[in-house]
Structures are given as structure tokens and as C-alpha cells.
Amino acid sequence: MKLILFIFLAVQINTANIVTIGSCITQIVCELGRCNQIVATDKQSQSELEQPVTNIGYWRSINVETILQSDPTLILASESAGPPRSIQVFQSTSNPIVLIKKTENWDDLMSNISLIASKLNNSSRGNHLIETLSERLSKLNYKKYQDLRVLGVYSPMGQRIFANSKSSAASFVIEYIGATNLSEFNSPKIISKEIALELNPDALLMTERTAKWLENNKFESINLLLKKPNFRKIKVSDNALSEICIKTIDSLENLNYE
Amino acid sequence: MNKGRFFIFILLMTTVLLATATLGLIVGQYPIQVEDLASVWSTQNSTAKLVILELRLPRIICAIFIGALLAVTGSCMQGIFRNPLVEPSFIGISAGAASAVVLFLVVLKPILIQYIPLNEFVIPCVAFVGSVVTVKIVINLASIQGRISIGALLLSGIAVNAFCGALMGICIYFADDAQLRSITFWNLGSLASISWREVYILTPIFIGGLLYLFLLRFKLDIASLGEDQAISLGVDMQSLTRRVVYSTCLIVGATVAFAGIIGFVGLLVPHITRFLVGANYKFLLIGSALIGSIVLLSSDIAARSFLDGAELPLGAITALLGAPFFIYQISKMRKEII
């Protein structure tokens, strides 16, 4: 009888319709082997999946009706997801929504993995993932970056170039590798020529998407820096800097500068 | 227009409004069948019930309320200023409300939240205070020896709109990602966050606002003849202007508080209505309320249905409809002058 119940529950869990809101949550669900159960996700998370699923819009302005259309059995949402009214709708109904804290350091990441794994009834795999990631982090070594003064930059649409804020994932990465983080901004700042000259970084940390925008040489403030001798660009994969997550570790392992 | 023809017009517009509202209940990202609609109270499909009763119905009611209020205030403003290109946002009401909210979100909220708990009523209150303060400034600037100069009022409105725009620009520069999302909402308008709570708050404003402006219809008819003639017929133009402007401020401030800036409804609808029912304010105000509701409701249905999985800002849709009309009006005025 117990065996039948166990099989029934296992089938129930394996046929879950998961909706993820937030790219880090999507990364974790995929690492826990439940990528194929994601039926809808936000626009930014689509690139985490091999096959596109229903797009529920930008993660800060999700569409409730699109999520309901996916008939979700579990909604894993970043606590910063919005608008608040949409989250309240799910909280006030029987739709099972779990709010996940934004990851600001490795401890947050590990506890989120643990929470998501428990909600997916797969704590053992979650513990294994935490062990693996901790081991990978312990092997990282960044001596060559220690004398560098680094500024994290990004360009969302290639129109303007911003310096990351001091509380961003980029700032965390810069400090983690032992370099000097030049960002003292509370929020992202457009980099003007004067700001570029004043900060005078030795290197810029950016995603590959931003690096592509820089190749067009359209940002004069950045062109000023690129002309400096021995100036470096540290590139990481897309989504590695949107939040501190598994892809951030992947990028740290392959970190290199040119 | 005689009463018989106006009755037919009311009947026709009410039918169109009800048909649009029904369409609004059916159309959307979540598929709703007509059967679900017919048996919404007894349906076993709890998701359909949630979508109809908690998501779409309050939104439709608010679209009707806000559309009617914006159109009626637009009609009154055009009458009082005798200018066909005027709408509530021209004297800074909407921009004042929105810039106050943006300033609050970016500067004050991060500080205040450390000391006092802020509930969901704070932002609508800030929007309302912002609109009142802005209009007070505009009226003070436009008052010359106790009389409101209409030309000065419009110029003050332009100056205050520019100032509010600049203030919002500065706030956007300092805003983080989450704050930027809120600012977009306030600048472009949306009914996505509407719930029954907003319906309950807007109901007395809707009823009270429309009744109050409807009571002013005779004076507005006289005022539209021109300031000198209105004064000679015993209408206190200063008092009437103040009453219309402040009541508009209260009404539009409340709508901005819940739906952000929704432009052009107050400009577009009075013209359409005047074309259909004439310039008599008795017919114009009722007609504007009905057509305003239909226009905003249709725009909202379009905003939430065009994109797959996401929503377009409502203010962008109304601007797309209104801006060409605005250009048409200007070119028409040019031809008349030539």
C-alpha cells in the first residue's frame, strides 16, 4: 500500500507544472533536474532553457492570466517579482506560490537551493548540488586580479552604458576575486566621460552581451578607457551577473581577461 | 439634438458599453468560454472564476469609472477655457500627481520605510497631494489681481508640466531597477494592479464627481459663450473656473493615484461627443461619460490582449489614439485661420 502511495506521489511530483519567476530560480530548478517541468517562465529566464516555454513577461511585471493559463502546480517566484498585486493574487488563492529571497552572497544561494529542492521534494539532490558548488568555490583562486581596480558595467539595450551599483552581483564578483571595486553607487549610473576619467579603472567586468555592444565603439566614455595601455575586459556569460547564482560560479571558474 | 434622438444615442452607447464590457470579460490571456461567464457563480472551474471575478471584473469597472471621469473633466475644461486643445493634464494635474509619486518612491520611501510602516494607501495619497499642490501653484501663477487669466493658466500649465517632467527625469537617473518599473507605471498608466479595493475607493469619487460637474452644466453652457457674455448673464466666471479646476484636480488626482497618467482621453472624447450630440452640456457630459468609458475600456482590452504573455502600457494605447487626433485638430484650426 505504502509503495503504491509512494509511486502515486512520485508520479504526481514528476508531472508538476512549475512556473519560475527569476533567472536564478530557473537555473536552480534546471540544476535540480526539473527543467522539463517548467511550463512558463519570465522573459529573462527563457535563455536558461533549451526549449522556449510560455513567456509570462518581464519578471517585475508578470502577467497573472498567462501564469494561470499554464495550470501551475508550483510557482517559484523571486521576492522582488512584481507587480505586488499579481503576487497577492496567487497568495490569496490556492495556487501554491513560494517566494524566494534574492541572492546577495553564496550563503543565500545555498539556502535557496535547499528551499527549492525541498519544495520539489528532492532534498537529497539539493544537498548534493550544495556540496558540489561549495567544493567548486573552494578551488577558485584569483591572485592575478588582486592589484586590479575594476568597474562592473552593463548596457541593457546598447543605447547607454551603466556602471553597476555597489550592491550588484557584479560588485560582489569583483570583491570576491580580490580586486578593488570602483563602484560606490547606490544604483546603476550612466558612465559619462568625466566619470570614466575620474574612476580610471584598470579593467571592466561585463557580460558577453555588453561586450558585443562595446565592439561597436559607440560609447565614447568607454572608448577613452579602452585606449589606455594594458586595459582589460573581463567577460562573463550572459545572466551570470543578473543575480549571484550557479552561472556566476561557472563564470568565475572560466574567468579570464583580454 | 432633441430628447428623442438623445435617448436613442444613450441606448446605443449603453449597448456598446455593455458589449465592450462583456468582451472584456471574455478576451484576455486566459481563455474564458461564454459558458464560464454565464455560470460564473456556480462554475467548478475555480481558475475561471478567479480570472473573471477577481482580475477582469474590477478592472473593467475601473476602466469605465476612469474613462468617464477623464472624459467629463476634459469636456468641462474645454468649456471653461474655451479651447478645444485643453485636457486635465495640460494644467499639470497628471504630471503633478505622477512626479510626486516618483519623488516619493525614489527619495522619500527608502528613508521613511526605516522609521514608519507604509501601507498601500500611501502612494494614492501622495498622488492626490501632488496634483492638488501642482494645481494650486498653477492657479496662483495664473491669478492676476484675483482673476484667473486663461492664457496665463495654460502657460503656467506648460511651465509646471516641464518642471514635473524634469523632476521625474532626475528621479529616473537615480532610480534602481524596481523603482524604474514603478516610474514606468506612473508615466504610462496601467490598470494591471486594479482590485476590488480600488473599485470601492473610486465609486464615491465617480458618483460624486460626475454629479457635481453635471450640476454645473447650465453655467458651463453660458461660460462657453465667452467670458464677457457669461459675466453679463450673471455667471461668476472666477468662481466657476475654480470649482471646475479644483474638482478636476480631485478627480484626476484620484485616477492617477490608481492607474497612473492616462493622457488624451480627456481631449479626444469631448470632441467625438460634441460631434455626435452637440455642445449642450446636458447632453455633452452624459455622452462624454459613456464614450469615455467605451474608449478606455477598449484601450485596456487592447493593452492586455495585443502581446502574448505581456501587457502594453494603457497610456501608450490612448496616446496612439489621441495624438493623431490632436494633430488633426491643430491642422483644422490652421485651415480655419488661413
Side-chain angles (χ1 to χ4, degrees), chain A residues 55-66 68-69 71 83 85-86 89 92-95 186-190 195, chain B residues 27-31 47 50-51 54-56 58 173-178 181 192-196 304 308-311:
Chain A
N55 182 1
I56 58 166
Y58 181 59
W59 68 288
R60 284 197 195 277
S61 57
I62 53 165
N63 190 304
V64 178
E65 289 193 20
T66 314
L68 289 172
Q69 196 186 356
D71 197 16
R85 162 78 182 136
S86 304
V89 168
S92 65
T93 60
S94 57
N95 288 286
N186 290 322
S187 57
K189 280 280 162 296
I190 293 172
I195 288 178
Chain B
V27 173
Q29 303 286 345
Y30 187 87
T47 309
L50 171 78
V51 170
E54 296 299 323
L55 299 177
R56 293 186 190 168
Y173 186 79
F174 289 104
D176 62 26
D177 192 34
R181 189 57 39 178
S193 293
I194 293 291
S195 64
W196 284 108
R304 61 187 162 91
D308 191 19
E311 271 193 35

Side-chain angles (χ1 to χ4, degrees), chain A residues 51-244:
Chain A
Q51 294 290 324
V53 293
T54 305
N55 182 1
I56 58 166
Y58 181 59
W59 68 288
R60 284 197 195 277
S61 57
I62 53 165
N63 190 304
V64 178
E65 289 193 20
T66 314
I67 295 175
L68 289 172
Q69 196 186 356
S70 308
D71 197 16
T73 50
L74 179 64
I75 302 166
L76 297 165
S78 164
E79 63 177 7
S80 313
R85 162 78 182 136
S86 304
I87 303 299
Q88 281 166 11
V89 168
F90 293 115
Q91 284 174 324
S92 65
T93 60
S94 57
N95 288 286
I97 183 165
V98 181
L99 293 182
I100 312 286
K101 193 175 174 252
K102 191 187 173 204
T103 52
E104 291 178 346
N105 50 50
W106 301 129
D107 290 340
D108 289 343
L109 175 61
M110 303 310 170
S111 59
N112 282 352
I113 291 171
S114 181
L115 175 63
I116 292 170
S118 73
K119 293 295 170 189
L120 296 174
N121 289 334
N122 204 351
S123 293
S124 59
R125 186 151 181 181
N127 290 335
H128 178 69
L129 180 61
I130 291 169
E131 278 171 30
T132 312
L133 293 176
S134 302
E135 199 181 320
R136 283 167 64 187
L137 279 169
S138 66
K139 286 180 184 168
L140 297 173
N141 184 345
Y142 297 106
K143 276 186 183 163
K144 64 178 177 179
Y145 296 101
Q146 281 177 3
D147 298 325
L148 285 180
R149 290 158 40 81
V150 183
L151 181 67
V153 296
Y154 76 100
S155 179
M157 303 292 288
Q159 300 297 321
R160 290 183 291 180
I161 185 98
F162 293 86
N164 286 102
S165 71
K166 65 181 176 188
S167 59
S168 63
S171 289
F172 176 82
V173 166
I174 293 167
E175 283 158 24
Y176 188 76
I177 62 175
T180 306
N181 179 24
L182 295 179
S183 173
E184 290 182 353
F185 310 117
N186 290 322
S187 57
K189 280 280 162 296
I190 293 172
I191 308 174
S192 65
K193 281 184 192 174
E194 290 198 14
I195 288 178
L197 289 171
E198 189 198 342
L199 293 174
N200 194 24
D202 303 318
L204 296 176
L205 173 70
M206 67 192 82
T207 61
E208 279 162 8
R209 193 186 296 127
T210 299
K212 274 182 192 165
W213 295 121
L214 291 190
E215 282 168 15
N216 298 330
N217 297 324
K218 63 191 289 189
F219 305 115
E220 289 187 19
S221 54
I222 300 299
N223 289 344
L224 276 177
L225 298 173
L226 295 175
K227 282 174 192 163
K228 281 173 56 181
N230 299 323
F231 191 80
R232 287 150 181 166
K233 284 190 276 187
I234 306 169
K235 293 183 201 172
V236 295
S237 64
D238 296 336
N239 283 357
L241 297 180
S242 54
E243 202 175 340
I244 299 152

Side-chain angles (χ1 to χ4, degrees), chain B residues 22 35 55 59 222 294 298 301 327 331:
Chain B
T22 311
E35 306 87 75
L55 299 177
R59 193 170 171 153
I222 298 168
I294 294 166
S298 315
I301 294 169
I327 294 164
S331 59

Side-chain angles (χ1 to χ4, degrees), chain B residues 107-317:
Chain B
V107 182
L108 291 176
K109 193 181 171 189
I111 301 166
L112 289 176
I113 208 160
Q114 295 170 19
Y115 304 104
I116 44 171
L118 301 171
N119 64 23
E120 67 266 46
F121 289 102
V122 173
I123 288 179
C125 290
V126 170
F128 178 68
V129 171
S131 66
V132 173
V133 170
T134 314
V135 169
K136 186 77 187 155
I137 292 168
V138 170
I139 288 184
N140 281 348
L141 284 171
S143 296
I144 302 160
Q145 293 176 336
R147 288 170 65 92
I148 297 171
S149 157
I150 286 161
L153 191 74
L154 292 176
L155 286 175
S156 310
I158 291 169
V160 168
N161 267 327
F163 180 80
C164 291
L167 202 64
M168 281 194 273
I170 292 167
C171 288
I172 286 167
Y173 186 79
F174 289 104
D176 62 26
D177 192 34
Q179 290 166 336
L180 277 175
R181 189 57 39 178
S182 296
I183 292 169
T184 307
F185 165 81
W186 289 99
N187 272 332
L188 292 173
S190 171
L191 294 175
S193 293
I194 293 291
S195 64
W196 284 108
R197 186 177 62 92
E198 282 77 19
V199 176
Y200 300 144
I201 298 170
L202 274 174
T203 303
I205 297 166
F206 172 73
I207 297 168
L210 289 192
L211 272 178
Y212 181 74
L213 291 172
F214 193 67
L215 289 174
L216 297 176
R217 64 191 185 281
F218 298 119
K219 288 182 177 174
L220 285 165
D221 275 329
I222 298 168
S224 60
L225 297 171
E227 194 166 358
D228 293 337
Q229 274 185 288
I231 292 167
S232 68
L233 288 167
V235 174
D236 181 350
M237 279 302 287
Q238 296 307 309
S239 161
L240 183 64
T241 306
R242 282 203 164 82
R243 286 163 76 179
V244 169
V245 169
Y246 279 122
S247 54
T248 300
C249 172
L250 286 169
I251 291 166
V252 177
T255 64
V256 173
F258 295 116
I261 297 179
I262 299 169
F264 289 100
V265 176
L267 174 79
L268 175 74
V269 175
H271 283 283
I272 298 171
T273 316
R274 214 172 277 122
F275 175 75
L276 292 171
V277 301
N280 184 332
Y281 268 85
K282 185 179 162 185
F283 302 142
L284 185 62
L285 293 181
I286 297 169
S288 291
L290 282 167
I291 297 178
S293 300
I294 294 166
V295 167
L296 198 66
L297 189 51
S298 315
S299 302
D300 185 50
I301 294 169
R304 61 187 162 91
S305 310
F306 272 167
L307 290 184
D308 191 19
E311 271 193 35
L312 284 169
L314 179 58
I317 302 272

